Amino acid sequence: MNKEEQYKSIVNFIDSYINNPPYYVNRDTVLAHVLNMLKTNFKYMDWVGVYLKKDAEDLLYLGMYLGSIGCDLIPFSKGVCGKCISTKETQLVPNVHLLPYHIACSSSTNSEIVTFFKFKDGKQGVLDIDSDEFDSFDEIDKKYLEEISSKFINF
Ligand code: SME
């Protein structure tokens, strides 16, 4: 499967849960599957996880993730994640070392992409993906990660 086909298989998986939700499935189940599929399908993704907005505070706290130990808290004013949650716009960063506000949870990270999402109950968050390679993410990643994130509103 090429990259687009791999992304489409994840999109189809999410759609099957949206269209035919098993009674036992909650948003954590879906999120766990999606994070796992991303990390397993795409070898350039070394850290895949979510940060969630703390209610009534401009802070993100660490949610579910796969990879090395993540930072616990990110203020809206800091980090690529902070930029994404405060602008609600995707942040595609080919070289994190060129961004003064980047937060290095892992010294091995060289590029990053972050997309905004909202769950059904209004809870906001970001999907954060780090790569140990430079320039790992392109417009295909952006398109499909935005599509995947936009589907979280169903859960
Ligand atoms: N690099 C992120 C911090 C989170 S870690 O990548 C897991 C940022 O600058 O917001």
Side-chain angles (χ1 to χ4, degrees):
M1 275 201 283
N2 67 26
K3 185 167 168 168
E4 286 215 74
E5 288 165 343
Q6 282 179 312
Y7 270 119
K8 279 180 188 161
S9 72
I10 300 175
V11 169
N12 289 340
F13 172 86
I14 301 172
D15 282 344
S16 71
Y17 273 17
I18 294 171
N19 297 330
N20 210 353
Y23 74 91
Y24 48 83
V25 161
N26 62 31
R27 77 183 185 197
D28 282 350
T29 316
V30 177
L31 198 52
H33 286 318
V34 169
L35 298 182
N36 181 54
M37 283 187 279
L38 287 169
K39 183 130 179 9
T40 307
N41 281 359
F42 301 105
K43 297 302 171 206
Y44 53 91
M45 298 186 182
D46 293 291
W47 196 96
V48 181
V50 294
Y51 280 91
L52 299 166
K53 183 187 180 306
K54 208 160 162 32
D55 294 333
E57 278 185 76
D58 285 349
L59 268 182
L60 290 166
Y61 64 89
L62 183 59
M64 204 182 287
Y65 72 97
L66 295 165
S68 58
I69 298 288
C71 310
D72 286 347
L73 282 179
I74 300 177
F76 274 33
S77 58
K78 287 196 182 149
V80 184
C81 294
K83 185 86 166 173
C84 181
I85 192 82
S86 52
T87 60
K88 298 185 170 52
E89 281 173 11
T90 299
Q91 305 296 309
L92 199 166
V93 186
N95 179 352
V96 296
H97 309 290
L98 299 179
L99 281 190
Y101 54 83
H102 168 254
I103 299 169
C105 299
S106 159
S107 59
S108 61
T109 299
N110 282 316
S111 59
E112 178 164 7
I113 188 166
V114 188
T115 55
F116 172 81
F117 68 81
K118 204 194 266 194
F119 286 123
K120 198 187 228 168
D121 65 0
K123 186 90 174 164
Q124 297 182 7
V126 297
L127 173 63
D128 180 21
I129 302 177
D130 292 346
S131 174
D132 288 353
E133 305 297 320
F134 288 99
D135 206 11
S136 281
F137 306 102
D138 60 17
E139 289 301 315
I140 294 177
D141 296 286
K142 180 173 184 285
K143 176 184 161 192
Y144 284 101
L145 292 170
E146 285 179 348
E147 184 175 355
I148 288 167
S149 302
S150 72
K151 289 181 185 288
F152 290 172
I153 192 73
N154 296 284
F155 300 103

